Amino acid sequence: MVNRRDAIKKNKLVSSMKGEGTLLVLLVVLILFPFVMSFITGTGMNEGVTKFWQGQLIIFFIMAVFAMSYDLLMGFGGILSFGHAASFGGGAYTFALLMKHVVPPITHNYRITIGSVNITDAIVLIVVFLVVLLVSILIGLLFAATSIRLKGAYFAMLTLALGSAMHMLVKATDFHKWTGADEGLHGVPVPVWLNPTQNRLTVYFVSLAFLIICYLLMKRMVNSPTGRVIIANRENEDRMRMIGYNPVTYRTIAFVSASIFAGFAGALYSIWNTSATPTMVSAVMTVNALIITILGGMGTLVGAILGAAIMQVISQFFYTWFGARWPLVFGVLFILIVMFLPYGIIGTWRMKKHDLKQFFEQGKRIIAQKKTLNQEEEA
Amino acid sequence: MTKDIILEAKSLTKAFGSLVAVDDVSIAIQAKTMHAIIGPNGAGKTTLFNLLSGVLPPTKGEVFYKGENITSLPPYKRAHLGIGRSYQITNIFPNLSVIENVRLAAQAKGKDNFKLFRKVDDFHEYVNKAYEVIGIVDLAGRANDFARDLTHGEKRKLELGIMLACDPELLLFDEPTAGMSSDQVPELISIINQIVQQRERTAILVEHRMDVVMSISDVVTVMNQGRILAEGAPSDIANNQQVQTAYLGDLYGELA
């Protein structure tokens, strides 16, 4: 039995190394991408097509994190929330509000230096992100509180209501002075080195690093003792309770951690757009994450990343091909995907991998048999 | 003698609207015995189980575990005290592997549930415990299969395995042989016997198969229409005239 376990461990190790290898190659491709693109097209790093595609990838990186955080809730925790955009938008608005209304007077009057180096910007940015963290935790707790007593459709409806309430709050004309109501907050002052128009390459690498860190953290989480209990919540809440876990506790952990990832993604999105708009808080944003997760495969973090990439590419090309009506075409495609790949791209692939392998091996065997038969005939 | 009573229910009542499923039931379970609860369909056995395990709050009455009032404790806290339960309808984690089903149960009582950034495989204690348990319930060969792919009989064993991995002192078996064919029953019963007797545990067993009840239990309580009809050693129960008419029918009358 010990041998058997060792063998399983070895197998796991090999397969995980294979997986990491593919990801590593992808990572190198993504790191080299801007340079290669610039070389091929002959455009500078911060102009033309090269700049445009960096932008597309930045959106992809951020959406991938948002989708993964949604997957953490839905795919792993079995929690169907229609208000997840509240965390994303909450992060975006917290960042934008602070940067626009709170930070300028401070940086105007105070200066923090180490020796002769001015670190005011850096310190301010760190503090702002800490506030984003705090707000995300609070939003996560708020949603977790609704899940204490409600289940299924009722719970989903309440999350939709909560999300809509947040949406209305940022659109409220009462706060026009601060939030810009319907138009949102524009022209958020971002430090020059992090400005997506002036220094897009920096934003590109910051977003890429953000995606990788979030992926690694979430991957760790879903394989941790806590993460496994969160998965058990998806599988069978009653049984989970009966073996000694309080489902509310673990749902709260899922909500808060998903909210933190989404909140940071939102803040980064606000840097990328130098704005925060009501769309970022709307149900459309949540549905985007839902579609991405289903496309890639629920309960697989890699699926959420792949889904986000596909969405980004599709929305880009479909827009040029079909114009403003592209979602109509995409809807049909989405229905087809759900019909033929019910577990998403990665999910279905993982399920069928074994069958496909057998199929090919059978094919190989038949070909080999035929070859030997032919040889025998010739002889 | 009260020292040896591990679980005690005092005048438990549970009403669903006008239907009184459990009516003023008082029952005391001696430690380290196999206590069977039998009765015809609708007698209130499963409701009584739900009251004892905390799934349902009682309308009236109290439950004591080792002298401590646990009437208002939620199930997950009762699990930490050492009350484990298996279900009549198979209640497992279908899309997890067999070993993961059991490992989760083994992890529940430990202090590592809130380690968010450590790998599960690093906690050998739970993994080893899980392998030990699936050895006992005879599922070692299917450790890495999905629980949903098991046969019904295997799912029943997994059900027991999940309960066992929690390492409970008091085990509540809700019809462990439900839906199994007769030739599969003896194996399951021997597993139950092994769990209960080797480890000196207490067990409460709801069961429909008379042969099973009569052969393995020390005390039998008969329920009918939400009330306790009789209680005693298996042989006494089999000879009890009242019980025979209510439940056992003519079969055990002939045997006795």
Side-chain angles (χ1 to χ4, degrees):
Chain A
M1 200 161 115
V2 174
N3 280 337
R4 188 192 166 79
R5 226 185 294 170
D6 282 350
I8 291 162
K9 253 189 200 164
K10 216 175 176 183
N11 263 334
K12 263 190 190 163
L13 202 70
V14 170
S15 66
S16 81
M17 262 160 56
K18 254 190 208 162
E20 306 285 339
T22 323
L23 287 179
L24 223 62
V25 170
L26 254 161
L27 180 60
V28 171
V29 168
L30 285 173
I31 290 173
L32 293 179
F33 174 79
F35 305 102
V36 173
M37 189 88 182
S38 161
F39 181 76
I40 292 172
T41 58
T43 47
M45 282 312 234
N46 213 21
E47 59 186 62
V49 199
T50 313
K51 190 175 185 183
F52 173 77
W53 278 102
Q54 280 174 47
Q56 292 297 309
L57 284 172
I58 290 170
I59 301 173
F60 151 52
F61 298 153
I62 296 171
M63 282 311 286
V65 173
F66 180 49
M68 278 196 294
S69 76
Y70 192 68
D71 198 21
L72 204 60
L73 273 183
M74 185 176 70
F76 292 94
I79 303 162
L80 180 61
S81 165
F82 284 115
H84 197 47
S87 300
F88 186 82
Y93 266 92
T94 309
F95 180 83
L97 280 169
L98 289 176
M99 289 308 269
K100 184 134 193 179
H101 299 296
V102 182
V103 171
I106 295 176
T107 46
H108 204 255
N109 293 322
Y110 300 96
R111 188 166 293 238
I112 310 163
T113 52
I114 298 179
S116 60
V117 188
N118 186 353
I119 54 159
T120 324
D121 272 354
I123 297 285
V124 162
L125 215 55
I126 290 170
V127 173
V128 167
F129 270 103
L130 283 178
V131 179
V132 169
L133 174 72
L134 193 74
V135 170
S136 305
I137 291 173
L138 288 176
I139 294 175
L141 287 174
L142 179 70
F143 276 88
T146 64
S147 83
I148 294 175
R149 283 178 178 277
L150 290 175
K151 269 184 198 168
Y154 301 99
F155 167 71
M157 286 301 110
L158 196 66
T159 58
L160 184 64
L162 260 178
S164 303
M166 297 288 265
H167 188 212
M168 281 178 195
L169 186 69
V170 302
K171 280 176 79 174
T173 45
D174 312 55
F175 307 115
H176 189 276
K177 207 167 85 184
W178 295 287
T179 59
D182 264 337
E183 305 114 67
L185 268 167
H186 291 277
V188 175
V190 179
V192 178
W193 61 274
L194 205 58
N195 188 303
T197 350
Q198 287 154 291
N199 282 306
R200 183 159 297 186
L201 196 61
T202 319
V203 182
Y204 178 86
F205 282 121
V206 167
S207 315
L208 178 58
F210 175 65
L211 168 63
I212 290 159
I213 292 168
C214 289
Y215 169 72
L216 291 176
L217 279 176
M218 283 190 235
K219 201 180 165 208
R220 252 294 155 89
M221 271 184 65
V222 298
N223 284 312
S224 73
T226 319
R228 292 295 180 83
V229 184
I230 289 171
I231 295 173
N233 176 73
R234 172 191 77 195
E235 290 296 313
N236 191 339
E237 197 190 315
D238 274 342
R239 190 64 205 222
M240 170 192 184
R241 200 178 280 126
M242 214 60 232
I243 57 179
Y245 297 111
N246 183 0
V248 175
T249 312
Y250 293 90
R251 276 204 295 265
T252 306
I253 294 173
F255 264 119
V256 170
S257 39
S259 182
I260 292 172
F261 286 116
F264 278 130
L268 206 56
Y269 200 56
S270 155
I271 292 179
W272 157 246
N273 283 307
T274 58
S275 69
T277 55
T279 331
M280 297 180 193
V281 199
S282 70
V284 175
M285 204 71 202
T286 310
V287 172
N288 270 341
L290 180 73
I291 290 174
I292 288 173
T293 316
I294 291 174
L295 204 63
M298 273 196 270
T300 63
L301 293 172
V302 182
I305 299 177
L306 184 70
I310 291 172
M311 257 316 256
Q312 200 52 37
V313 172
I314 282 182
S315 67
Q316 197 48 48
F317 284 108
F318 275 28
Y319 186 79
T320 46
W321 294 340
F322 306 110
R325 272 180 232 95
W326 74 269
L328 213 63
V329 185
F330 177 72
V332 175
L333 183 68
F334 185 69
I335 291 172
L336 289 176
I337 287 174
V338 172
M339 275 173 75
F340 294 107
L341 302 170
Y343 301 97
I345 295 167
I346 296 287
T348 313
W349 162 249
R350 283 190 185 164
M351 258 185 175
K352 302 280 179 198
K353 198 162 57 177
H354 186 67
D355 294 352
L356 278 176
K357 220 186 247 171
Q358 272 186 334
F359 180 74
F360 282 123
E361 266 165 22
Q362 212 173 2
K364 263 191 221 161
R365 224 177 298 138
I366 290 169
I367 291 168
Q369 270 174 354
K370 269 197 179 156
K371 253 186 197 165
T372 48
L373 272 177
N374 284 343
Q375 278 170 352
E376 275 167 17
E377 266 171 32
E378 275 171 29
Chain B
M1 275 310 279
T2 46
K3 208 179 154 196
D4 292 321
I5 288 172
I6 189 162
L7 187 82
E8 191 175 12
K10 284 183 181 162
S11 45
L12 270 186
T13 301
K14 180 69 191 178
F16 299 103
S18 61
L19 175 82
V20 184
V22 172
D23 191 2
D24 197 30
V25 167
S26 294
I27 190 170
I29 311 293
Q30 296 277 327
K32 295 174 190 177
T33 56
M34 175 88 86
H35 196 125
I37 298 173
I38 60 171
N41 284 329
K45 307 181 297 284
T46 296
T47 306
L48 178 64
F49 247 50
N50 284 336
L51 294 176
L52 295 181
S53 59
V55 174
L56 294 173
T59 314
K60 237 168 43 193
E62 286 169 320
V63 184
F64 293 88
Y65 178 70
K66 292 182 177 173
E68 191 187 335
N69 191 335
I70 60 164
T71 317
S72 55
L73 280 192
Y76 71 92
K77 283 192 179 159
R78 295 189 195 204
H80 282 286
L81 287 178
I83 301 176
R85 168 179 187 178
S86 77
Y87 287 79
Q88 178 181 2
I89 301 158
T90 302
N91 206 347
I92 54 178
F93 303 108
N95 296 315
L96 302 181
S97 68
V98 170
I99 191 72
E100 178 64 9
N101 265 272
V102 181
R103 201 201 58 78
L104 271 167
Q107 183 193 306
K109 259 189 170 180
K111 291 187 171 61
D112 303 307
N113 293 334
F114 297 108
K115 295 197 171 142
L116 207 49
F117 297 108
R118 290 279 305 277
K119 275 188 187 161
V120 148
D121 296 339
D122 294 343
F123 298 94
H124 300 293
E125 189 189 330
Y126 309 126
V127 179
N128 292 340
K129 171 94 193 225
Y131 273 100
E132 185 197 323
V133 166
I134 61 169
I136 294 173
V137 297
D138 196 23
L139 283 175
R142 307 213 59 173
N144 291 295
D145 293 329
F146 281 120
R148 59 161 192 263
D149 294 336
L150 297 181
T151 65
H152 181 75
E154 285 169 330
K155 281 181 185 161
R156 301 303 303 171
K157 289 183 196 168
L158 178 59
E159 180 81 43
L160 295 185
I162 294 174
M163 172 168 69
L164 185 60
C166 298
D167 205 15
E169 268 182 79
L170 174 66
L171 304 115
L172 306 175
F173 294 98
D174 195 356
E175 288 203 39
T177 65
M180 289 179 95
S181 62
S182 303
D183 55 325
Q184 291 173 311
V185 172
E187 198 191 343
L188 196 80
I189 292 304
S190 82
I191 292 173
I192 291 176
N193 254 330
Q194 203 183 338
I195 293 170
V196 177
Q197 274 163 12
Q198 266 188 5
R199 314 206 162 207
E200 303 214 310
R201 292 187 164 104
T202 314
I204 310 178
L205 174 76
V206 164
E207 185 53 69
H208 261 308
R209 289 175 204 264
M210 267 313 113
D211 48 341
V212 171
V213 171
M214 294 304 166
S215 65
I216 67 170
S217 49
D218 305 311
V219 187
V220 178
T221 298
V222 187
M223 282 183 77
N224 193 19
Q225 292 177 341
R227 289 170 170 278
I228 289 180
L229 197 66
E231 191 173 299
S235 53
D236 298 340
I237 293 298
N239 292 325
N240 187 315
Q241 204 61 55
Q242 237 184 326
V243 175
Q244 281 177 18
T245 43
Y247 182 44
L248 300 179
D250 289 331
L251 179 65
Y252 271 82
E254 279 166 25
L255 285 179

